Amino acid sequence: MRAIKNDIEKRVLKLSKYYSYPERLATINLLEEIALAIDFYQRRSVSSLKSSEWNETQGNKIQSDVWFKTWQIQKATLTRLQQRYRKTLEILSNTK
């Protein structure tokens, strides 16, 4: 949670010159970036899983394993992004 707050504070410093509610705007911008990353990793993880399954049906066990491990890494990244999104949303709900 501290890393998210630090990120927001850096963004607030940049936005405070131009906007009257920079903390809220910085948090919203961070939420948008995280949402885009979540969407990206969701699409990639689905593609990797399909590639793993396709390679397995074709008898390419090694290639299937590579795609499966890629899928596992992408799912783990997606889980971390979703947690970061929830925490950022919590921070936004507590801002004035």
Side-chain angles (χ1 to χ4, degrees):
M1 184 92 120
R2 188 68 215 150
I4 296 170
K5 288 184 178 183
N6 287 341
D7 191 4
I8 292 171
E9 288 174 8
K10 289 177 187 176
R11 293 166 184 259
V12 166
L13 288 174
K14 292 178 184 177
L15 294 172
S16 63
K17 300 172 190 172
Y18 309 106
Y19 299 101
S20 54
Y21 298 105
E23 186 173 310
R24 188 164 178 79
L25 186 60
T27 307
I28 290 169
N29 287 343
L30 180 58
L31 278 172
E32 289 174 349
E33 288 178 19
I34 295 170
L36 288 173
I38 287 171
D39 182 54
F40 174 75
Y41 274 97
Q42 282 176 335
R43 285 186 273 119
R44 285 196 58 178
S45 67
V46 167
S47 175
S48 293
L49 186 58
K50 286 180 181 178
S51 294
S52 174
E53 292 169 349
W54 184 83
N55 277 292
E56 191 166 335
T57 61
Q58 299 298 312
N60 301 329
K61 180 69 175 146
I62 294 172
Q63 192 66 23
S64 176
D65 289 345
V66 169
W67 279 111
F68 186 75
K69 291 193 185 311
T70 301
W71 173 77
Q72 288 178 319
I73 292 167
Q74 290 168 344
K75 282 299 280 184
T77 302
L78 186 56
T79 301
R80 286 191 304 277
L81 283 169
Q82 289 168 337
Q83 291 168 350
R84 185 173 172 95
Y85 187 85
R86 280 191 289 278
K87 290 177 183 177
T88 307
L89 195 55
E90 181 182 316
I91 290 170
L92 179 63
S93 68
N94 293 328
T95 60
K96 299 172 186 170

